[in-house]
Amino acid sequence: MHIQTYTKETMIDSLCRYLDVSEESLLHQISSAAMSSDIFCQGIKEFVKQCRPVKKLDKILFFHLGRRLNSDINDNGLNLRDLLLNKTALSDYLASYKIAFQENNNYIEIYYKGVLQELDLDNYSSTANVARLKVRLGYYQDRQDYCFNGFSLKDQLHQNSYYTALFSAPEFISDLAVFLKFPSVLKDYTKNSTYYCYEYLVPLSEVMFDNNDKLSDNEKVLFLIEKVCLRIYEYNSRYIYDHENPILRLDDNASMHKEYFVSKEEIMKG
């Protein structure tokens, strides 16, 4: 079973079925827990324990925002390391601009026209673009970030700052274009790509919550339910945003299996 996080209504319905409670009982408990915001999560946890659900939440919806090259016909999601070091639509595209990548001592080097482009490891005052490239390419062994990521909730995803940031290109392509002083790489990527929201249904055991990556599977269930209950409560407000949407990710060396793919929806400006 999984919680359908598409809308307020589907979240309420999923939780009621999982907990075997009425909608009235669920909403009452959420409101009661919210009366003291500092113990909201604890109140929800106690409610779940009291319900003693017999169904098992063993899958989770995973919404990935990605601007993909039109030549990329795969709906699986490769981690960045595999995207750059193997023959893929992205590596072929960058190779056409004489940009290539090579692994060296567990990090990835950038080559332009056959010349190594140094990312200064000792310069901690780098621009934001270079600093992000260092992390994404594994220059800091304790902060490597090759992972394929996404969001748990779809209902207000269009309100997320990340949603608008990707209209032109992935952040990696934008940073690479700035670093190489090669704006055509970014401009042409935008021309030859389409922006999608990819939906996957993934075993809960295979995902991690960003900044909460040590949770057991049972703890993941409680964490997700807390966030879903908080989102349901936020619908009582006049304005609702997407600040508390839990970020999901796979292990750095993992890629999204094609069998987990559900659908993709083109995102248009407007």
Side-chain angles (χ1 to χ4, degrees):
M1 183 181 176
H2 64 280
I3 298 176
Q4 297 187 9
T5 56
Y6 306 110
T7 65
K8 173 189 174 184
E9 290 73 24
T10 61
M11 287 187 280
I12 290 173
D13 180 67
S14 293
L15 280 178
C16 287
R17 286 188 292 109
Y18 172 65
L19 298 172
D20 193 24
V21 297
S22 68
E23 179 176 332
E24 181 181 10
S25 177
L26 175 67
L27 296 181
H28 173 75
Q29 184 60 43
I30 291 174
S31 296
S32 297
M35 293 297 290
S36 181
S37 59
D38 58 328
I39 58 170
F40 179 83
C41 293
Q42 188 59 40
I44 296 300
K45 284 179 182 176
E46 290 300 322
F47 178 55
V48 173
K49 288 179 182 178
Q50 290 170 15
C51 292
R52 297 182 181 179
V54 294
K55 298 183 178 71
K56 185 176 182 181
L57 280 180
D58 55 0
K59 294 186 178 180
I60 187 169
L61 286 172
F62 187 117
F63 300 99
H64 171 76
L65 298 174
R67 189 168 190 100
R68 298 277 183 91
L69 289 163
N70 296 329
S71 58
D72 188 351
I73 60 174
N74 295 313
D75 293 320
N76 59 318
L78 297 177
N79 62 68
L80 184 62
R81 181 180 178 279
D82 287 347
L83 273 174
L84 299 178
L85 297 180
N86 297 303
K87 182 175 174 57
T88 63
L90 178 61
S91 64
D92 285 349
Y93 171 79
L94 293 172
S96 71
Y97 292 89
K98 298 182 170 56
I99 302 169
F101 301 86
Q102 184 173 309
E103 191 168 31
N104 179 22
N105 292 326
N106 293 320
Y107 65 89
I108 300 174
E109 296 175 327
I110 304 170
Y111 287 82
Y112 177 51
K113 295 183 177 180
V115 179
L116 175 63
Q117 305 299 302
E118 296 279 3
L119 288 170
D120 187 358
L121 283 174
D122 297 321
N123 182 7
Y124 290 95
S125 61
S126 301
T127 64
N129 305 89
V130 172
R132 282 192 296 265
L133 283 175
K134 288 179 184 177
V135 173
R136 293 307 315 273
L137 295 176
Y139 276 69
Y140 304 124
Q141 295 302 302
D142 59 341
R143 292 179 60 203
Q144 290 182 330
D145 182 17
Y146 301 132
C147 73
F148 183 83
N149 59 22
F151 293 90
S152 309
L153 313 179
K154 191 183 182 186
D155 64 310
Q156 294 294 323
L157 197 52
H158 62 284
Q159 299 266 38
N160 197 290
S161 59
Y162 194 66
Y163 183 96
T164 54
L166 294 180
F167 269 116
S168 296
E171 186 177 68
F172 178 79
I173 297 297
S174 300
D175 289 340
L176 187 65
V178 172
F179 172 64
L180 295 176
K181 298 180 174 61
F182 199 176
S184 293
V185 173
L186 173 60
K187 184 178 178 181
D188 293 344
Y189 190 101
T190 304
K191 282 184 186 177
N192 294 288
S193 62
T194 305
Y195 190 18
Y196 294 105
C197 176
Y198 289 83
E199 178 185 343
Y200 301 93
L201 184 59
V202 188
L204 193 65
S205 59
E206 294 186 23
V207 303
M208 291 174 276
F209 288 102
D210 205 34
N211 298 320
N212 290 276
D213 56 357
K214 303 300 182 185
L215 298 179
S216 68
D217 285 355
N218 286 337
E219 289 170 333
K220 291 176 192 176
V221 169
L222 287 174
F223 182 79
L224 178 62
I225 290 175
E226 291 162 14
K227 294 300 182 181
V228 170
C229 287
L230 180 60
R231 176 56 57 86
I232 292 170
Y233 180 74
E234 287 174 345
Y235 274 93
N236 294 319
S237 303
R238 183 176 179 182
Y239 300 106
I240 181 169
Y241 302 100
D242 202 47
H243 303 318
E244 296 292 331
N245 195 340
I247 298 174
L248 295 170
R249 64 181 179 86
L250 304 181
D251 184 81
D252 269 340
N253 296 316
S255 293
M256 183 65 76
H257 296 298
K258 193 163 187 175
E259 58 264 33
Y260 300 157
F261 173 77
V262 176
S263 66
K264 65 182 179 183
E265 175 184 349
E266 184 175 350
I267 298 173
M268 309 289 288
K269 273 191 174 181

